[in-house]
Amino acid sequence: MIKPGEEWGIPTTAAADVTLRGTDAELAALVRADGLSPLVRWSPVESEFARSVGLHPDHADTQPDTGGFELPVDAFTVEFGVDSSPRPAVNVAVMGTPPAKLRRQHRARSVTVVIDGRAVYDGLATTVVIANGQYLDGCDLVPRGHPGDGRLEIQVYALGAGERGPMRRRLPSGAHLPHPRIVTGSGRIVEVGTGDRAWAVALDGHPAPTTDRLLARIRPAAIRLLI
């Protein structure tokens, strides 16, 4: 986990444990349940997490087989409901309507959000974002996001119908924040409850199980990228 003022990553002469050409979800699938952090040479495909670490699509093809710079990146796990097994992710989980798709007609519903045991929201909202990366749908969704700081960034969208269009227009540059009706926070463990109504969930850009209860936990330095 990087701390303020520290360099992110270290030089290495090691060879990669895994070479991957794949998506954010495929990178997340390399997160190990035993807590060990594989060294991965990754060429991102259709990835938004890669923007957070400055990787281009042909990265693995242009680097030597061994050595380089070892960059520890966080991941997180998500549990859906009471009996769900944790599923790994590296970029963003969205409950409800993604911010870039939020329109006047989308209804706000009751939701509670607890971060590290502290209640931060209890009311009506359309969307809850839990992010490790910075970008989603081509937008700078989480301008302060850093995938090596050991924390998740949380956003709760409670905008009125007339505020959603202006918010979307500011999303690409990250200028949608701060906003009085986008509640933000950060922490290591996030619990979201939606009463008795299940919400749609997307995890690293892919549909996930609908749920009325979600639990996310940060996994600091879960993967080491060889760059």
Side-chain angles (χ1 to χ4, degrees), residues 112-189:
T112 60
V113 179
V114 176
I115 303 175
D116 293 342
R118 181 175 63 89
V120 298
Y121 190 82
D122 185 354
L124 297 177
T126 58
T127 313
V128 178
V129 170
I130 301 171
N132 179 48
Q134 183 174 347
Y135 300 95
L136 184 68
D137 294 326
C139 299
D140 191 358
L141 180 65
V142 189
R144 296 178 59 186
H146 190 300
D149 65 359
R151 300 180 71 81
L152 293 166
E153 300 294 328
I154 298 91
Q155 300 175 354
V156 185
Y157 286 70
L159 291 86
E163 298 174 306
R164 297 169 187 175
M167 178 275 297
R168 291 197 316 274
R169 290 191 286 274
R170 295 191 294 268
L171 269 174
S173 65
H176 60 297
L177 297 175
H179 192 289
R181 277 166 293 287
I182 302 177
V183 176
T184 61
S186 68
R188 295 172 175 81
I189 301 174

Side-chain angles (χ1 to χ4, degrees), residues 36-208:
L36 297 178
S37 303
L39 185 60
V40 181
R41 189 181 297 281
W42 178 41
S43 287
V45 175
E46 298 179 355
S47 168
E48 296 195 276
F49 182 69
R51 292 182 65 187
S52 298
V53 294
L55 291 185
H56 51 82
D58 61 348
H59 170 70
D61 299 332
T62 60
Q63 297 296 110
D65 292 336
T66 61
F69 204 74
E70 179 184 309
L71 193 70
V73 296
D74 303 336
F76 62 105
T77 58
V78 176
E79 298 172 44
F80 306 90
V82 177
D83 300 319
S84 165
S85 298
R87 287 177 53 172
V90 293
N91 194 41
V92 177
V94 179
M95 292 188 72
T97 305
K101 299 177 181 177
L102 196 55
R103 299 296 189 271
R104 297 182 63 92
Q105 67 269 24
H106 289 114
R107 293 180 57 192
R109 296 187 172 94
S110 226
V111 63
T112 60
V113 179
V114 176
I115 303 175
D116 293 342
R118 181 175 63 89
V120 298
Y121 190 82
D122 185 354
L124 297 177
T126 58
T127 313
V128 178
V129 170
I130 301 171
N132 179 48
Q134 183 174 347
Y135 300 95
L136 184 68
D137 294 326
C139 299
D140 191 358
L141 180 65
V142 189
R144 296 178 59 186
H146 190 300
D149 65 359
R151 300 180 71 81
L152 293 166
E153 300 294 328
I154 298 91
Q155 300 175 354
V156 185
Y157 286 70
L159 291 86
E163 298 174 306
R164 297 169 187 175
M167 178 275 297
R168 291 197 316 274
R169 290 191 286 274
R170 295 191 294 268
L171 269 174
S173 65
H176 60 297
L177 297 175
H179 192 289
R181 277 166 293 287
I182 302 177
V183 176
T184 61
S186 68
R188 295 172 175 81
I189 301 174
V190 185
E191 302 169 77
V192 183
T194 62
D196 58 358
R197 183 185 292 272
W199 281 29
V201 181
L203 195 60
D204 281 350
H206 296 278

